[in-house]
Short mmCIF file of all heavy atoms in Angstrom, two decimals:
data_model
loop_
_atom_site.label_atom_id
_atom_site.label_comp_id
_atom_site.label_asym_id
_atom_site.label_seq_id
_atom_site.Cartn_x
_atom_site.Cartn_y
_atom_site.Cartn_z
N GLY A 900 108.05 100.95 111.90
CA GLY A 900 108.80 102.21 111.95
C GLY A 900 108.59 103.04 110.70
O GLY A 900 108.51 104.27 110.75
N ALA A 901 108.49 102.36 109.54
CA ALA A 901 108.27 103.06 108.28
C ALA A 901 106.89 103.72 108.27
O ALA A 901 106.74 104.86 107.82
CB ALA A 901 108.41 102.11 107.10
N ARG A 902 105.87 102.99 108.76
CA ARG A 902 104.52 103.59 108.83
C ARG A 902 104.50 104.78 109.79
O ARG A 902 103.86 105.79 109.51
CB ARG A 902 103.50 102.53 109.26
CG ARG A 902 103.10 101.61 108.13
CD ARG A 902 101.93 100.72 108.50
NE ARG A 902 102.29 99.71 109.49
CZ ARG A 902 102.86 98.55 109.22
NH1 ARG A 902 103.13 98.25 107.97
NH2 ARG A 902 103.15 97.69 110.17
N ASP A 903 105.22 104.67 110.91
CA ASP A 903 105.28 105.77 111.88
C ASP A 903 105.97 106.99 111.26
O ASP A 903 105.48 108.11 111.38
CB ASP A 903 106.02 105.32 113.14
CG ASP A 903 106.07 106.39 114.20
OD1 ASP A 903 104.98 106.92 114.54
OD2 ASP A 903 107.17 106.71 114.69
N ALA A 904 107.08 106.76 110.58
CA ALA A 904 107.80 107.87 109.93
C ALA A 904 106.95 108.48 108.82
O ALA A 904 106.96 109.70 108.62
CB ALA A 904 109.13 107.37 109.36
N SER A 905 106.18 107.66 108.12
CA SER A 905 105.29 108.17 107.07
C SER A 905 104.22 109.08 107.65
O SER A 905 103.93 110.14 107.09
CB SER A 905 104.65 106.99 106.32
OG SER A 905 103.71 107.45 105.39
N GLU A 906 103.64 108.65 108.77
CA GLU A 906 102.61 109.49 109.41
C GLU A 906 103.21 110.81 109.91
O GLU A 906 102.59 111.86 109.79
CB GLU A 906 101.95 108.73 110.57
CG GLU A 906 101.01 107.66 110.12
CD GLU A 906 99.87 108.21 109.27
OE1 GLU A 906 99.27 109.23 109.63
OE2 GLU A 906 99.59 107.60 108.22
N LYS A 907 104.42 110.76 110.46
CA LYS A 907 105.07 112.00 110.93
C LYS A 907 105.42 112.91 109.75
O LYS A 907 105.27 114.12 109.85
CB LYS A 907 106.31 111.66 111.75
CG LYS A 907 105.96 111.08 113.11
CD LYS A 907 107.20 110.76 113.91
CE LYS A 907 106.82 110.17 115.26
NZ LYS A 907 108.00 109.77 116.03
N ALA A 908 105.89 112.32 108.65
CA ALA A 908 106.19 113.12 107.46
C ALA A 908 104.93 113.78 106.93
O ALA A 908 104.95 114.95 106.54
CB ALA A 908 106.83 112.24 106.38
N LYS A 909 103.84 113.04 106.94
CA LYS A 909 102.56 113.58 106.47
C LYS A 909 102.11 114.73 107.38
O LYS A 909 101.66 115.77 106.89
CB LYS A 909 101.51 112.46 106.47
CG LYS A 909 100.15 112.87 105.99
CD LYS A 909 99.22 111.67 106.01
CE LYS A 909 97.82 112.03 105.61
NZ LYS A 909 96.93 110.86 105.67
N THR A 910 102.24 114.53 108.69
CA THR A 910 101.83 115.58 109.64
C THR A 910 102.66 116.84 109.45
O THR A 910 102.12 117.95 109.37
CB THR A 910 101.97 115.06 111.09
OG1 THR A 910 101.15 113.91 111.24
CG2 THR A 910 101.58 116.13 112.09
N TRP A 911 104.00 116.69 109.39
CA TRP A 911 104.85 117.86 109.23
C TRP A 911 104.66 118.53 107.87
O TRP A 911 104.75 119.76 107.76
CB TRP A 911 106.32 117.50 109.46
CG TRP A 911 106.65 117.41 110.92
CD1 TRP A 911 106.89 116.28 111.63
CD2 TRP A 911 106.76 118.50 111.84
NE1 TRP A 911 107.13 116.60 112.94
CE2 TRP A 911 107.07 117.96 113.09
CE3 TRP A 911 106.63 119.87 111.72
CZ2 TRP A 911 107.24 118.74 114.22
CZ3 TRP A 911 106.80 120.66 112.86
CH2 TRP A 911 107.12 120.10 114.08
N SER A 912 104.39 117.75 106.83
CA SER A 912 104.12 118.34 105.51
C SER A 912 102.83 119.14 105.55
O SER A 912 102.74 120.23 104.97
CB SER A 912 104.03 117.25 104.45
OG SER A 912 105.26 116.60 104.30
N LEU A 913 101.83 118.62 106.25
CA LEU A 913 100.56 119.34 106.39
C LEU A 913 100.76 120.62 107.19
O LEU A 913 100.24 121.68 106.81
CB LEU A 913 99.52 118.43 107.06
CG LEU A 913 98.12 119.02 107.21
CD1 LEU A 913 97.51 119.32 105.86
CD2 LEU A 913 97.23 118.07 108.00
N VAL A 914 101.53 120.55 108.28
CA VAL A 914 101.80 121.75 109.08
C VAL A 914 102.53 122.79 108.22
O VAL A 914 102.20 123.99 108.26
CB VAL A 914 102.64 121.38 110.33
CG1 VAL A 914 103.21 122.62 111.00
CG2 VAL A 914 101.81 120.57 111.30
N THR A 915 103.49 122.36 107.43
CA THR A 915 104.24 123.28 106.57
C THR A 915 103.32 123.91 105.53
O THR A 915 103.40 125.13 105.28
CB THR A 915 105.39 122.53 105.86
OG1 THR A 915 106.18 121.89 106.85
CG2 THR A 915 106.26 123.48 105.06
N THR A 916 102.44 123.12 104.94
CA THR A 916 101.52 123.64 103.94
C THR A 916 100.55 124.65 104.55
O THR A 916 100.32 125.73 103.97
CB THR A 916 100.73 122.47 103.29
OG1 THR A 916 101.66 121.55 102.73
CG2 THR A 916 99.80 122.97 102.20
N ILE A 917 99.99 124.33 105.70
CA ILE A 917 99.06 125.26 106.36
C ILE A 917 99.80 126.53 106.79
O ILE A 917 99.27 127.64 106.63
CB ILE A 917 98.39 124.57 107.56
CG1 ILE A 917 97.44 123.48 107.06
CG2 ILE A 917 97.65 125.57 108.44
CD1 ILE A 917 96.88 122.59 108.16
N PHE A 918 101.01 126.39 107.30
CA PHE A 918 101.79 127.56 107.70
C PHE A 918 102.08 128.45 106.49
O PHE A 918 101.96 129.68 106.58
CB PHE A 918 103.09 127.09 108.36
CG PHE A 918 103.95 128.20 108.90
CD1 PHE A 918 103.49 129.05 109.89
CD2 PHE A 918 105.23 128.39 108.41
CE1 PHE A 918 104.28 130.07 110.39
CE2 PHE A 918 106.03 129.40 108.90
CZ PHE A 918 105.56 130.25 109.89
#
Side-chain angles (χ1 to χ4, degrees):
R902 282 189 290 277
D903 182 53
S905 175
E906 286 300 315
K907 288 180 181 177
K909 181 179 177 182
T910 301
W911 280 107
S912 296
L913 183 63
V914 167
T915 306
T916 303
I917 291 171
F918 184 61

